[in-house]
Amino acid sequence: MSNDNFNKPNDAGAKRVERSIRLDVQGLRAVAVLAVLLYHANGSWLKAGYVGVDVFFVISGFIITALLTERSGKVDLAAFYASRVKRIVPAYFSMLVVVAALSAVLFVPDDFAFFFDSLKSSAWFTSNHYFAHFGSYFAPRADELPLLHTWSLAIEMQFYLFFPIMAICIPARWRLPAFLLLATVAFAWVGYRTLGGQRDEMYFSLLARVPEFMVGAVVALLMRQRELPQTLASALGIVGALLLAWALLAIEKQQFPGFWAIVPCVGAGMIIAARRGPVSTLLATAPMVWVGGISYSLYLWHWPVLALIRYYTGQYDLTIAWLLFFAIASVALAWLSFRFIETPARKATGLVRQTPKWAMAAMVVLLVAWGAVRINASLVVPLPVELTRYAAPETICHGTQVGSCMRGKADADVAALVIGDSHAAQLNHFFDQVGNEQGVAYRVLTASSCVPIPGFDVERLPTWAQKPCRDQIAAVAKALPEVDRVVVAGMWQYQMQSQAFTKALTDFLSATAGANKNVVVLAQVPMFETDVQRVRRFTELGLSAPLTFNREWQAANQQVKAIAERTPGVRFLDFSSSSFFAAAPYEQGLLIYRDSHHLNEVGASRYGHYAAQQLQRAFDQPQSNVSLKP
């Protein structure tokens, strides 16, 4: 995302480079960053606004190649790397410090643990690897991760490490064919891997983005000391703009980067190569150049602002007031960063004289990181662990097998098999309570976001959740013949969005009940718009934090109820409107939720005590279609 040039550490060189800045390229940066902002603000506003990042990579490849190859003399690698550090690091680490401080205040401890891991990877410019393998059901949503955007800056820094050496080692006459070949082969490889189901891995991979840098490098070498005729330049710019516009409006994210990444990269390359014409003139207008000038800081700051707003509100779709705050805060922070951090750091000369300032800045970063952990834990009195989780993860069969997966009376025979996603996993203590009261045991097999039944559409799950889902589907298939009672629970609000799942559930209930097994389907528990643990923290901090019900779960419960009622032998048990949830997220004054839609250990145990008799009656009732709603 950086947009400065490689300056020799002397005033004459700096002035010469400043004069050579391409205003149309600055304007292209504005297009790229505005596309990213629109997409991040709301993904429906600009379908493929994320390709703005790829445009940045093309621009970086162009600028760096031009700077490394424009001189006939030996390239000063030390000066090059020093210029990159001055250009990127000060504003970047300033952002990290501020975001770490804010996150330490706002984030509940479990969420801050995820944030702190991302902070460490961001500080080392390896966050692309961290986020490529990031996955946890209970982590904040991707749009609530304040440092998610640093993956692209990590890739850029990694590119800067090896590319100058490669450019120096390749003889001048071989650079153009070498870069062109590298771009072609790399695009083909990325396309092949993406078609092979490796999209998530490719998205955050430096190797997958190398061909995008190479497009810019090829343009820099082709157009060095060349200027196209006016007519050709105008046509090239218009075609490039049309390609880029089509890419922003039409590319499907599921197919990206892949072969489709060629389109916006070639479009950006054509615009850069044109240099003249109506498109270049438009890009070189004062407003576009101004936005392009602050584009690096704007990219740095906009995402943390947006992520922290979403973390606080619990909503992806923001109100007009929050969107205005996002826009004003992002531009204001970007301008302040550009004016008081970027510009002074870029113009600073004499590395030896700057050493004390760099050392002091490093100390500030370390102190903030050290203090953030302690501040996060001390601002609000922590809740007992049993109120912050639904079970100890190492003791339950959630995506894996842990012992016999038994809950309830330890030495009793298995009375029923319990299956489902995390909304079944939250019932481990529920079935401990029910089993102990009834003198029986339950076997609980669950997986994140996955109801482990035949035909479940595993492909829609995040990559990290797919193998555990398949493993639990196999485990359920093996355990099912050994029981004559089955309990199914799920986050129906999520699951029923899939037609494939709806069919799989219908078929499973019909087949299981048809095999003379008693089947009980539990309704989804009430869900809130925001995480109750976060609301508690915000309230303790004196911040306004209203808690309202999400209503989508009710419609989903009705859908599942309809399937159960038309399947003989299946009972639908719904406690969502019962007295137990009348004061949710509290029950008799005690917090029973761990987040917006899962009960905690205490809540699950109390729920089990409340529901035990009804569950027993549901199993003992003769074959019937009638749902039970206490």
Side-chain angles (χ1 to χ4, degrees):
M1 305 313 116
S2 60
N3 65 351
D4 204 330
N5 305 322
F6 163 35
N7 299 334
K8 288 280 189 179
N10 60 73
D11 292 340
K15 290 178 180 177
R16 179 171 59 83
V17 171
E18 285 182 10
R19 287 196 301 268
S20 70
I21 291 176
R22 290 267 303 270
L23 297 183
D24 59 325
V25 174
Q26 288 288 76
L28 186 58
R29 287 195 183 97
V31 172
V33 77
L34 291 175
V36 172
L37 262 68
L38 282 172
Y39 176 75
H40 284 166
N42 192 310
S44 65
W45 290 357
L46 191 60
K47 185 175 182 179
Y50 52 83
V51 304
V53 173
D54 307 272
V55 175
F56 274 123
F57 289 155
V58 174
I59 294 171
S60 292
F62 170 77
I63 294 291
I64 297 307
T65 303
L67 292 169
L68 288 171
T69 60
E70 71 177 1
R71 298 174 178 84
S72 57
K74 184 178 180 181
V75 174
D76 187 343
L77 278 180
F80 173 83
Y81 289 128
S83 73
R84 292 300 89 199
V85 170
K86 288 194 301 179
R87 180 67 188 87
I88 293 175
V89 170
Y92 180 76
F93 274 86
S94 297
M95 180 272 296
L96 293 184
V97 166
V98 172
V99 173
L102 290 173
S103 298
V105 174
L106 290 176
F107 280 26
V108 298
D110 286 348
D111 293 343
F112 186 77
F114 287 109
F115 168 80
F116 198 72
D117 286 341
S118 71
L119 178 66
K120 289 185 288 187
S121 66
S122 298
W124 290 105
F125 291 98
T126 58
S127 56
N128 58 319
H129 299 295
Y130 174 78
F131 288 116
H133 303 290
F134 180 83
S136 171
Y137 186 83
F138 288 111
R141 301 191 314 261
D143 53 77
E144 297 175 341
L145 299 172
L147 301 180
L148 178 61
H149 68 317
T150 63
W151 71 268
S152 60
L153 296 164
I155 284 179
E156 190 158 349
M157 284 295 278
Q158 292 160 20
F159 173 76
Y160 290 153
L161 283 177
F162 81 86
F163 181 69
I165 298 172
M166 182 177 73
I168 291 171
C169 291
I170 297 175
R173 66 180 181 278
W174 291 108
R175 284 174 186 160
L176 179 57
F179 291 169
L180 189 59
L181 178 63
L182 178 58
T184 303
V185 172
F187 269 130
W189 177 75
V190 174
Y192 171 76
R193 293 294 298 275
T194 303
L195 290 176
Q198 304 297 315
R199 177 196 165 271
D200 289 345
E201 179 183 338
M202 290 294 97
Y203 197 89
F204 295 101
S205 169
L206 169 63
L207 293 177
R209 304 295 177 164
V210 162
E212 300 174 3
F213 289 102
M214 290 299 102
V215 170
V218 168
V219 171
L221 294 176
L222 278 174
M223 301 309 297
R224 188 171 63 174
Q225 298 178 345
R226 289 191 181 96
E227 191 168 285
L228 298 174
Q230 180 68 48
T231 302
L232 179 58
S234 297
L236 195 65
I238 291 171
V239 172
L242 290 174
L243 285 176
L244 181 55
W246 182 88
L248 289 168
L249 295 170
I251 292 180
E252 298 288 345
K253 189 173 184 179
Q254 293 75 14
Q255 301 171 334
F256 201 85
F259 293 112
W260 287 113
I262 297 172
V263 178
C265 292
V266 170
M270 294 172 75
I271 293 172
I272 295 170
R275 195 179 187 104
R276 296 187 295 168
V279 173
S280 298
T281 301
L282 179 62
L283 291 175
T285 55
M288 297 297 287
V289 172
W290 186 83
V291 174
I294 67 167
S295 60
Y296 173 52
S297 280
L298 189 54
Y299 182 84
L300 275 183
W301 288 101
H302 86 280
W303 180 255
V305 171
L306 197 56
L308 290 172
I309 290 173
R310 285 179 171 145
Y311 186 87
Y312 176 66
T313 63
Q315 302 300 307
Y316 175 82
D317 293 315
L318 302 182
T319 63
I320 295 296
W322 277 118
L323 286 171
L324 285 173
F325 177 83
F326 157 66
I328 294 170
S330 298
V331 173
L333 287 168
W335 183 83
L336 290 170
S337 175
F338 174 77
R339 174 66 178 81
F340 296 106
I341 301 174
E342 274 192 69
T343 303
R346 188 174 67 249
K347 292 181 177 180
T349 59
L351 287 179
V352 175
R353 292 196 304 273
Q354 299 298 321
T355 300
K357 293 182 180 179
W358 287 93
M360 186 178 297
M363 286 298 297
V364 170
V365 172
L366 292 173
L367 283 173
V368 170
W370 177 83
V373 176
R374 285 146 186 83
I375 290 171
N376 178 258
S378 63
L379 282 178
V380 175
V381 177
L383 289 170
V385 67
E386 61 268 20
L387 297 182
T388 64
R389 67 184 186 188
Y390 57 59
E394 66 275 8
T395 66
I396 62 176
C397 294
H398 191 50
T400 187
Q401 299 297 297
V402 180
S404 61
C405 307
M406 303 275 282
R407 311 300 295 195
K409 197 169 187 294
D411 56 351
D413 293 333
V414 175
L417 176 66
V418 182
I419 63 173
D421 55 23
S422 64
H423 277 237
Q426 73 177 338
L427 300 179
N428 273 274
H429 283 271
F430 174 102
F431 285 104
D432 270 336
Q433 184 69 32
V434 172
N436 285 318
E437 289 187 17
Q438 296 176 348
V440 298
Y442 289 83
R443 190 174 188 199
V444 184
L445 296 174
T446 62
S448 288
S449 304
C450 164
V451 179
I453 58 177
F456 183 87
D457 46 333
V458 180
E459 297 75 16
R460 69 182 161 99
L461 300 184
T463 303
W464 57 267
Q466 292 185 10
K467 184 179 184 303
C469 178
R470 292 190 176 96
D471 290 344
Q472 292 300 75
I473 290 173
V476 167
K478 183 177 179 181
L480 200 57
E482 302 173 3
V483 297
D484 56 12
R485 293 179 172 184
V486 179
V487 179
V488 186
M491 185 182 180
W492 306 129
Q493 177 178 342
Y494 167 69
Q495 302 295 355
M496 296 303 289
Q497 296 177 30
S498 165
Q499 292 183 350
F501 170 76
T502 302
K503 182 179 184 303
L505 178 65
T506 303
D507 293 345
F508 174 78
L509 294 180
S510 179
T512 305
N516 296 318
K517 298 182 189 297
N518 293 322
V519 182
V520 169
V521 179
L522 293 178
Q524 178 181 331
V525 300
M527 180 173 177
F528 298 93
E529 289 286 356
T530 51
D531 188 314
V532 299
Q533 303 281 350
R534 297 181 190 178
V535 169
R536 173 184 176 270
R537 185 175 183 89
F538 301 153
T539 303
E540 292 284 328
L541 293 171
L543 300 173
S544 173
L547 186 64
T548 57
F549 274 115
N550 173 297
R551 297 300 178 184
E552 295 176 12
W553 57 272
Q554 294 172 316
N557 274 348
Q558 292 305 308
Q559 289 179 273
V560 177
K561 177 183 177 182
I563 295 173
E565 287 185 338
R566 64 174 178 259
T567 308
V570 177
R571 290 90 172 175
F572 183 76
L573 199 54
D574 186 355
F575 295 97
S576 62
S577 299
S578 70
S579 60
F580 182 80
F581 290 106
Y586 296 91
E587 200 268 335
Q588 296 183 4
L590 190 65
L591 186 66
I592 59 172
Y593 274 71
R594 76 162 308 278
D595 53 30
S596 63
H597 59 107
H598 294 97
L599 301 175
N600 57 32
E601 290 183 13
V602 172
S605 296
R606 289 189 174 196
Y607 187 25
H609 177 70
Y610 178 86
Q613 291 184 356
Q614 290 282 358
L615 182 62
Q616 186 63 52
R617 284 201 295 269
F619 278 131
D620 292 342
Q621 180 181 324
Q623 296 283 345
S624 171
N625 293 13
V626 180
S627 66
L628 303 175
K629 189 168 183 176

